[in-house]
Amino acid sequence: MKVLVIGGGAREHALCRSLSLDPDVTALHCAPGNAGIAEVAELHQVDALDGAAVARLAAELEAGLVVVGPEAPLVAGVADAVRAAGIPCFGPSREAAQLEGSKAFAKDVMAAAGVPTARSYVCTTPEEIDTALDAFGAPYVVKDDGLAAGKGVVVTDDIEQARAHARSCDRVVIEEYLDGPEVSLFAITDGTTVLPLTPAQDFKRALDGDEGPNTGGMGAYSPLPWADPKLVDEVMATVLQPTVDELRRRGTPFSGLLYAGLAITSRGVRVIEFNARFGDPETQVVLARLRTPLAGVLLNAAKGTLDAEPPLNWRDEAAVTVVVAAHNYPGTPRTGDVIEGLDEVAAEDAPHAYVLHAGTRRDGDAVVSAGGRVLSVTATGKDLAQARERAYAAVGRIRLAGAQHRTDIAHRAAAPVAGE
């Protein structure tokens, strides 16, 4: 099978790494990719938001499967264009991807499907915003209705900050605050059958102790030793399957990766948000633990034959990912700094730890930073403590001027104590 992956972040590097290890994959391509992905896949330049261009590239490469990584191409309808060209594509249609593209659409689907989530208001005027903020009180949860690269959500006790963010959005969802630890659960679906993956937890705040601004994610770990063993079954029954069934009922079946961001509250599981693609950085730890070859599962989802897929096989190992970010992230990051130490990680820490590239590019013989989140250093171990130790040992070998990373990824879970 020839596979084309669309995207250029650490999520796509994780996908390409897993696909490169699959014996059924005879050729692996990625567009546009990055400096790390170039080591396992042939790179191509394409406008990832141009469905016709992506479909042409896939046809030229004689790809038997296209995997669309990021959310923006999905919301732009790239998967529709690829499928229209007769090529199997892993990723939802433009209409189904509105589950991530519009928070208001997602709330409507959840209400119809009976999925437990936070009470909310959709607001478009300053008056509606003030009414909603007053109704819920602090902490205020304010979400841009559209795509915002993981940074469109503000959670704050400061009503002026909440009001300012809300008024900067064309349409905004204001909702009640959900207490309790957060869990990310992915599921692969063909629009009917739903195949859950293993839960993970990510860290969205920039600084240790969950301080600082929201980011796209500064690290993740899996498994979750503190989570109820029945959590996946519960989420399948109350969230994932009902959502997939409702979208199919509406005539917009969801085929691809359905991501449920969950809060384990004092009143039970509640959905914080849905995404229409693999999450970053959770993908890095989830795929590190997946033993089942990936390509066949994604192809069955794309072809509508996921019911033929046996349950997924998981390694007993734990996995931890630590994100190395550029200076000033999540503000405007500094780019063009040389990254050193990558060869040392490969020589000293493989196969238990490895580097997945996010915002990188080649500059002659050097690899330089090219984005906010630059690298995802991922490690496995017999338990979270060992995986964490290996991940941070590898992080310590990397030299990038002005770089930042959190030092507490999976710390409490590895201890272990209840919740993180």
Side-chain angles (χ1 to χ4, degrees):
M1 189 195 316
K2 297 178 181 179
V3 182
L4 170 62
V5 176
I6 302 300
R11 163 188 46 227
E12 287 76 34
H13 194 176
L15 287 163
C16 285
R17 180 181 183 274
S18 291
L19 290 165
S20 73
L21 298 173
D22 188 329
D24 288 337
V25 175
T26 55
L28 183 58
H29 303 270
C30 186
N34 60 40
I37 294 174
E39 297 176 8
V40 295
E42 183 179 344
L43 301 191
H44 305 269
Q45 285 303 313
V46 73
D47 180 352
L49 300 179
D50 185 338
V54 172
R56 279 196 303 273
L57 176 62
E60 289 168 9
L61 297 174
E62 299 179 335
L65 174 66
V66 175
V67 179
V68 182
E71 59 272 29
L74 293 168
V75 172
V78 168
D80 303 87
V82 173
R83 277 191 283 269
I87 301 167
C89 185
F90 182 80
S93 67
R94 180 202 305 264
E95 289 189 348
Q98 286 303 306
L99 201 60
E100 176 170 5
S102 168
K103 301 290 190 296
F105 175 80
K107 288 290 188 182
D108 185 61
V109 170
M110 283 188 271
V115 170
T117 187
R119 294 179 297 121
S120 64
Y121 292 100
V122 179
C123 306
T124 56
T125 69
E127 293 75 22
E128 290 174 345
I129 288 167
D130 289 342
T131 299
L133 292 173
D134 289 343
F136 290 131
Y140 304 100
V141 181
V142 183
K143 299 181 176 182
D144 190 332
D145 181 53
L147 293 181
K151 290 177 281 189
V153 179
V154 165
V155 181
T156 179
D157 288 323
D158 183 341
I159 190 167
E160 292 306 325
Q161 183 185 3
R163 184 178 287 120
H165 181 64
R167 291 185 176 185
S168 72
C169 305
D170 290 334
R171 188 158 82 147
V172 66
V173 175
I174 296 173
E175 63 184 36
E176 67 175 327
Y177 176 76
L178 298 175
D179 63 343
E182 295 184 13
V183 173
S184 299
L185 184 62
F186 302 162
I188 293 170
T189 178
D190 60 4
T192 302
T193 301
V194 181
L195 199 62
L197 278 64
T198 189
Q201 186 176 66
D202 77 330
F203 294 73
K204 291 187 172 64
R205 297 283 186 171
L207 306 176
D208 285 4
D210 291 326
E211 299 290 333
N214 257 350
T215 72
M218 295 299 290
Y221 69 92
S222 178
L224 312 182
W226 49 267
D228 187 331
K230 298 176 182 175
L231 175 64
V232 173
D233 290 341
E234 179 185 349
V235 176
M236 272 289 292
T238 63
V239 175
L240 297 171
Q241 192 70 57
T243 299
V244 169
D245 291 346
E246 172 61 20
L247 286 166
R248 188 175 68 253
R249 187 192 67 76
R250 292 177 176 220
T252 56
F254 188 104
S255 170
L257 194 289
L258 178 58
Y259 164 116
L262 309 165
I264 313 303
T265 77
S266 54
R267 294 169 291 131
V269 174
R270 298 288 186 272
V271 174
I272 301 170
E273 65 175 353
F274 284 124
N275 289 339
R277 40 71 193 183
F278 280 101
D280 181 345
E282 300 97 318
T283 301
Q284 290 85 300
V285 291
V286 170
L287 292 186
R289 300 187 59 221
L290 180 64
R291 193 188 298 276
T292 301
L294 184 61
V297 183
L298 302 186
L299 183 62
N300 274 329
K303 293 171 66 175
T305 54
L306 199 58
D307 58 344
E309 190 69 37
L312 298 175
N313 190 357
W314 298 95
R315 296 183 175 90
D316 289 335
E317 292 180 312
V320 172
T321 282
V322 179
V323 170
V324 177
H327 174 73
N328 200 45
Y329 178 78
T332 303
R334 192 174 76 202
T335 60
D337 290 312
V338 174
I339 304 164
E340 297 179 309
L342 298 174
D343 291 342
E344 293 170 35
V345 175
E348 300 291 336
D349 301 291
H352 302 298
Y354 49 88
V355 178
L356 296 169
H357 292 231
T360 70
R361 63 176 175 85
R362 278 270 171 199
D363 185 4
D365 292 334
V367 176
V368 301
S369 60
R373 291 185 296 172
V374 181
L375 305 168
S376 283
V377 180
T378 303
T380 56
K382 67 179 187 296
D383 54 25
L384 283 173
Q386 186 180 54
R388 187 174 184 278
E389 180 182 339
R390 288 170 169 173
Y392 278 107
V395 168
R397 301 187 201 280
I398 292 169
R399 297 176 297 283
L400 170 62
Q404 54 176 314
H405 66 271
R406 283 184 57 160
T407 66
D408 62 347
I409 304 301
H411 173 68
R412 290 174 60 194
V417 294
E420 175 144 4

